[in-house]
Amino acid sequence: MSITEPAPKPYSRDWLLSDRPASRRQASLGRAYVVWRRFSENRLALLGLVIILALILTAAFADVLAPHNPLQGDLRNARLLPPGAEGYILGTDDQGRDILSRLIHGSRLTLLVVVLVAIIAAPVGLIVGTISGYAGGWVDAVLMRITDIFLAFPKLVLALALVAALGPGIENAILAIAVTSWPPYARIARAETMTFRNSEFISAVQLMGASPFRIVLRHVMPLCLSSLIVRVTLDMAGIILTAAGLGFLGLGAQPPLPEWGAMIASGRRFILDQWWVAAMPGFAILIVSLGFNLLGDGLRDALDPKEAGQ
């Protein structure tokens, strides 16, 4: 008489790692759990995640965390004070404004740029790449030649040209960065699509009568998401640097908005004597860019199908 093993409790470790999931939800949660285990083994990736979570919390509670008004200063008593003087932890700028408060509120602009560029550029690249890879023929040729035209120009130079044509401002800077960011995503999505467009499961879906639109939307695009997420995360640092570069040149967020690139531009006149005016926003850009790079590396290792098969 055989004794059957009791079924594992729902949401337990054995339930998540079961090789015979009883539902689609269990299979999805199991895959997510495996990815998280692989990701959490990378200490640097966890450090990057902590930095990004700190950025999000800082942006969300900027009004509470900022000790002073980021837009109003005291020219008479607080101009160019060094870090730690008279209650100003990171010092003040040439307008007597608290640098720490401006960095805290500037995190909102940085997060806004990163999120909006990702929301605009990633779906465009995914759509163009999957359609190009699945359709092939002249559709592939036309879409990829358009992509090559955008890739032929350096990203910052093309963004500068677009912002110069549209006019300075944070909205136009976001649009310009998004327009220059989608081609790499299209290339990745196309390469992923071409690897499995002739696979058996695609042929089976075609035999069931699914339209090309449904195949691309329901079966091809989900398979491209992991590679796209990794690339978008790794590109966040470049997006931040491009936005800072536009702000440094006066084409991004306009004064008195506390954009980090514009803060560096206003502090470059005092770089020898009052170094903290330009160094503090530069250090903030460094930390956030490093956080996104570490997070992207961790996601790449966790979502790598070759790693998952070992």
Side-chain angles (χ1 to χ4, degrees):
M1 182 177 180
S2 61
I3 300 176
T4 59
E5 296 181 359
K9 295 181 179 180
Y11 306 105
S12 64
R13 181 177 180 275
D14 294 336
W15 184 81
L16 292 171
L17 296 178
S18 174
D19 56 353
R20 294 181 180 180
S23 63
R24 181 178 298 179
R25 178 181 178 83
Q26 182 180 355
S28 301
L29 292 175
R31 286 194 299 268
Y33 178 70
V34 171
V35 169
W36 168 250
R37 285 183 57 187
R38 225 182 272 123
F39 177 84
S40 61
E41 293 173 356
N42 190 334
R43 301 301 180 187
L44 291 178
L46 290 177
L47 175 61
L49 179 61
V50 169
I51 292 174
I52 302 308
L53 289 177
L55 173 68
I56 295 173
L57 292 176
T58 300
F61 299 101
D63 295 331
V64 177
L65 297 176
H68 300 278
N69 190 312
L71 304 180
Q72 297 179 359
D74 186 358
L75 280 172
R76 175 174 296 182
N77 303 313
R79 184 175 185 270
L80 295 174
L81 292 179
E86 300 182 14
Y88 297 99
I89 299 176
L90 299 182
T92 60
D93 61 6
D94 59 320
Q95 301 296 321
R97 297 170 296 194
D98 179 39
I99 293 178
L100 175 60
S101 299
R102 289 179 63 78
L103 289 179
I104 291 174
H105 281 269
S107 63
R108 289 182 169 178
L109 293 175
T110 300
L111 202 60
L112 175 68
V113 171
V114 166
V115 171
L116 289 183
V117 169
I119 290 176
I120 296 172
V124 172
L126 180 63
I127 293 172
V128 172
T130 51
I131 292 176
S132 176
Y134 183 78
W138 66 269
V139 175
D140 180 30
V142 171
L143 292 178
M144 285 301 101
R145 296 301 77 76
I146 295 174
T147 304
D148 290 338
I149 292 174
F150 281 90
L151 290 174
F153 296 93
K155 184 181 293 187
L156 181 58
V157 174
L158 185 57
L160 284 172
L162 291 174
V163 175
L166 296 173
I170 187 67
E171 298 87 358
N172 292 336
I174 292 173
L175 181 60
I177 298 173
V179 168
T180 61
S181 298
W182 68 266
Y185 307 147
R187 282 290 189 182
I188 291 176
R190 175 180 179 269
E192 291 283 338
T193 303
M194 294 184 68
T195 58
F196 48 72
R197 70 177 179 181
N198 295 324
S199 301
E200 293 181 357
F201 75 95
I202 294 294
S203 301
V205 175
Q206 292 173 342
L207 291 175
M208 294 174 64
S211 64
F213 175 78
R214 181 178 178 85
I215 293 173
V216 171
L217 183 64
R218 297 294 300 272
H219 301 280
V220 175
M221 285 186 179
L223 294 174
C224 301
L225 286 180
S226 60
S227 299
L228 194 67
I229 291 172
V230 172
R231 180 57 190 260
V232 169
T233 308
L234 289 172
D235 281 352
M236 293 299 185
I239 293 172
I240 293 173
L241 292 176
T242 303
L246 294 176
F248 182 86
L249 296 174
L251 297 175
Q254 299 299 297
L257 291 177
E259 199 273 325
W260 293 348
M263 292 174 63
I264 296 176
S266 66
R268 70 183 188 276
R269 296 172 295 167
F270 316 103
I271 192 65
L272 296 179
D273 298 324
Q274 289 83 24
W275 53 268
W276 58 87
V277 181
M280 296 305 176
F283 186 69
I285 294 174
L286 170 66
I287 292 297
V288 174
S289 299
L290 178 63
F292 276 114
N293 281 333
L294 294 177
L295 179 62
D297 287 338
L299 288 176
R300 180 187 59 194
D301 296 338
L303 296 172
D304 187 3
K306 294 181 181 179
E307 185 72 19
Q310 294 180 356

